[in-house]
């Protein structure tokens, strides 16, 4: 199960789940090693849009793991926006609490990230090598520290490009409102 170092928020736990899916019942010996790598600072992560690049130092080997996260479905964005901006008085700082996470999840629009692709420079080739797993844990820790990352990496804060299929006026206004804000100014991180 998740240990306390990773995934102590619901938002971070989603990333722990990428390493430890609920459907996986067999213990995976790579998991404790991946956690240890993340814990001892062996994973350096940079986030660029929906791409996570991890440089993983293990012994004398340096591996490059890459994860691409899929854009968040429009409906999920609308649900979360509604939770954040609907229930709170104007000007209040929305907070990404576990409660917000639970509410949207119970409504059937859980914000867990979906992977668009994974890659690693090692020879493992399964997409679940220790380096990729270690990046999942490092991301869990980052997201625990700042749950905005969980949304940002799924394009929550970015306006759709011209090809958007969406439609309603309310939605468009919501987008403009969101997009003119710098998320780093706007959210308060609850600890
Ligand atoms: Zn690897």
């Amino acid at each position: 199960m998740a240990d306390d170092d990773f995934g102590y928020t619901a938002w971070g736990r989603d990333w722990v789940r990428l390493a430890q899916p609920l459907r996986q019942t067999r213990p995976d010996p790579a998991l404790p090693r991946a956690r240890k790598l993340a814990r001892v600072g062996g994973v350096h992560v940079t986030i660029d849009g929906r791409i996570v690049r991890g440089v993983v130092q293990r012994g004398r080997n340096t591996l490059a793991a890459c994860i691409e996260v899929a854009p968040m479905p429009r409906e999920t964005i609308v649900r979360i926006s509604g939770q954040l901006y609907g229930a709170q008085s104007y000007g209040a700082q929305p907070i990404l609490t576990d409660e917000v996470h639970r509410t949207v999840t119970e409504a059937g629009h859980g914000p867990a990230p979906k992977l668009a692709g994974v890659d690693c420079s090692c020879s493992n080739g399964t997409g679940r090598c220790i380096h990729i797993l270690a990046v999942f844990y490092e991301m869990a820790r980052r997201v625990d520290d700042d749950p905005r990352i969980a949304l940002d990496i799924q394009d929550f804060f970015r306006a759709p490009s011209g090809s958007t299929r969406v439609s309603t006026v309310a939605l468009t206004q919501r987008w403009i409102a969101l997009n003119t804000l710098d998320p780093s100014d706007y959210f308060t991180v609850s600890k």
Side-chain angles (χ1 to χ4, degrees):
M1 281 311 297
D3 65 45
D4 293 332
D5 288 1
F6 303 98
Y8 66 83
T9 68
W11 304 89
R13 217 168 298 135
D14 284 337
W15 281 88
V16 172
R17 286 277 164 256
L18 291 176
Q20 301 166 221
L22 287 171
R23 65 178 181 276
Q24 182 183 320
T25 48
R26 249 175 345 121
D28 181 345
L31 291 174
R33 289 185 286 141
R35 278 197 294 270
K36 186 176 176 201
L37 265 176
R39 193 177 289 123
V40 301
V43 187
H44 294 277
V45 155
T46 50
I47 302 170
D48 179 13
R50 291 184 289 103
I51 310 277
V52 183
R53 289 191 178 81
V55 175
V56 182
Q57 193 81 40
R58 186 161 183 244
R60 287 190 299 166
N61 295 324
T62 303
L63 282 303
C66 187
I67 294 166
E68 182 178 357
V69 180
M72 183 176 274
R74 175 53 58 102
E75 271 193 281
T76 308
I77 291 176
V78 171
R79 287 281 175 166
I80 293 172
S81 302
Q83 275 301 308
L84 290 177
Y85 304 98
Q88 301 180 52
S89 60
Y90 186 74
Q93 298 257 312
I95 301 172
L96 291 173
T97 57
D98 281 9
E99 170 82 34
V100 171
H101 188 287
R102 185 168 59 244
T103 305
V104 293
T105 301
E106 284 173 357
H109 297 282
K114 307 282 186 299
L115 299 178
V118 293
D119 190 30
C120 185
S121 63
C122 77
S123 58
N124 176 290
T126 64
R128 288 187 55 79
C129 64
I130 185 172
H131 317 103
I132 289 170
L133 296 173
V135 171
F136 289 151
Y137 285 115
E138 181 62 20
M139 283 298 294
R141 188 155 69 175
R142 291 242 193 153
V143 168
D144 281 337
D145 284 347
D146 185 354
R148 288 172 300 188
I149 294 170
L151 296 182
D152 195 27
I153 200 165
Q154 298 183 71
D155 277 356
F156 182 91
F157 299 107
R158 270 175 288 279
S161 56
S163 62
T164 175
R165 288 153 297 180
V166 200
S167 47
T168 73
V169 172
L171 214 56
T172 310
Q173 285 171 345
R174 178 91 76 190
W175 260 112
I176 292 165
L178 274 175
N179 196 42
T180 52
L181 297 164
D182 178 351
S184 62
D185 292 334
Y186 202 65
F187 286 95
T188 303
V189 178
S190 71
K191 293 273 184 182

